[in-house]
Amino acid sequence: LTYTPSEAEKIITDLRVILGATEEIALFPAYDLMAHEEAYEKETAGARLSVLGRLARGERLLVVACWPALQRKIIPPEVLREFTFQLAARAEVEREFFLQKLVEMGYERTEKVDRSGQFSVRGSIIDLYPPDLGEPLRIEFFGDEIESIRSFDPETQRSSGRLQSVAVLPAREGLWGKEELEAAAEELPKVIREQAGRFRNRGDEKT
């Protein structure tokens, strides 16, 4: 653990020189934006989720992080595992349930997948771009059975490899299940009333 992102990068570089360019060394990066800012850094999120996913699977990993990277709330391992979807060729997966799960996992439905965190549907084929993978996935269904899982080039749309199984990580760090969203929706009117009351009180104080 170090104090700035640049120092973390320097330590990672030094470790890879000393220990070799090993996959067992990973950087847990910090976001450049503040937590309240609207933009979302998908590449940073992907790198963070990749590290957290590997740790949740029990991989042996040397992680370098800076203090700003740990100031954001980090997903507990059990929550990350709950929102990780395991896919395998020839496995039975209810297609509509899978699509709904992708939305809950933070994926955005688009016409064509060319960026991390997106998915698209064309007949029996679902294209999906997990944030921790270098290339998107093309999942072909026959009914509710997965016929094949392939990686593909997002520019040419041509397949580049075939996978027997893959763990699909969520596309964002903020994760809420259906029950949590429903509970939040019930609390929202109360929160709005309380906040409006605070604004009114502040107005009275100024006058």
Side-chain angles (χ1 to χ4, degrees):
L1 178 64
T2 187
Y3 47 92
T4 65
S6 60
E7 186 66 18
E9 293 277 5
K10 182 178 181 298
I11 291 172
I12 279 283
T13 301
D14 291 344
L15 285 172
R16 285 175 176 160
V17 170
I18 296 168
L19 303 176
T22 172
E23 292 185 357
E24 294 182 349
I25 302 172
L27 173 68
F28 189 70
Y31 288 106
D32 290 329
L33 300 174
M34 300 298 291
H36 65 276
E37 294 184 278
E38 292 185 4
Y40 191 60
E41 301 166 71
K42 290 185 177 180
E43 288 187 6
T44 302
R48 289 167 63 94
L49 286 163
S50 178
V51 172
L52 294 173
R54 294 176 68 184
L55 291 173
R57 290 192 295 271
E59 290 188 32
R60 183 179 177 182
L61 197 61
L62 174 58
V63 180
V64 177
C66 61
W67 176 242
L70 302 181
Q71 287 182 305
R72 292 280 188 99
K73 185 176 180 180
I74 296 174
I75 309 171
E78 62 275 12
V79 175
L80 184 59
R81 283 191 287 265
E82 178 188 346
F83 280 88
T84 298
F85 208 104
Q86 304 291 335
L87 296 175
R90 303 302 173 189
E92 292 280 341
V93 176
E94 188 178 341
R95 185 171 171 276
E96 292 305 315
F97 171 77
F98 178 50
L99 292 174
Q100 178 59 40
K101 196 70 176 175
L102 288 177
V103 175
E104 292 179 7
M105 292 163 67
Y107 286 87
E108 175 191 5
R109 184 165 179 170
T110 59
E111 290 295 321
K112 179 183 176 182
V113 167
D114 56 15
R115 294 182 183 179
S116 173
Q118 296 178 338
F119 78 98
S120 67
V121 182
R122 294 178 291 110
S124 62
I125 295 173
I126 298 174
D127 287 348
L128 167 68
Y129 206 151
D132 63 317
L133 299 184
E135 290 186 321
L137 303 174
R138 180 158 289 154
I139 304 154
E140 189 166 358
F141 281 80
F142 181 75
D144 284 335
E145 180 182 303
I146 297 175
E147 277 202 322
S148 65
I149 305 171
R150 291 169 289 166
S151 56
F152 69 93
D153 186 317
E155 292 186 6
T156 65
Q157 296 290 304
R158 292 181 179 177
S159 297
S160 57
R162 185 180 290 266
L163 295 84
Q164 288 302 311
S165 63
V166 65
V168 179
L169 290 175
R172 66 183 179 210
E173 292 189 72
L175 298 169
W176 305 275
K178 183 179 179 181
E179 293 180 359
E180 291 171 303
L181 290 173
E182 289 176 349
E186 291 178 2
E187 288 293 317
L188 191 57
K190 177 184 174 183
V191 172
I192 291 173
R193 287 195 300 270
E194 290 176 350
Q195 188 65 25
R198 292 191 188 100
F199 284 133
R200 283 194 295 269
N201 291 337
R202 288 178 184 176
D204 292 341
E205 289 172 4
K206 289 181 180 179
T207 56

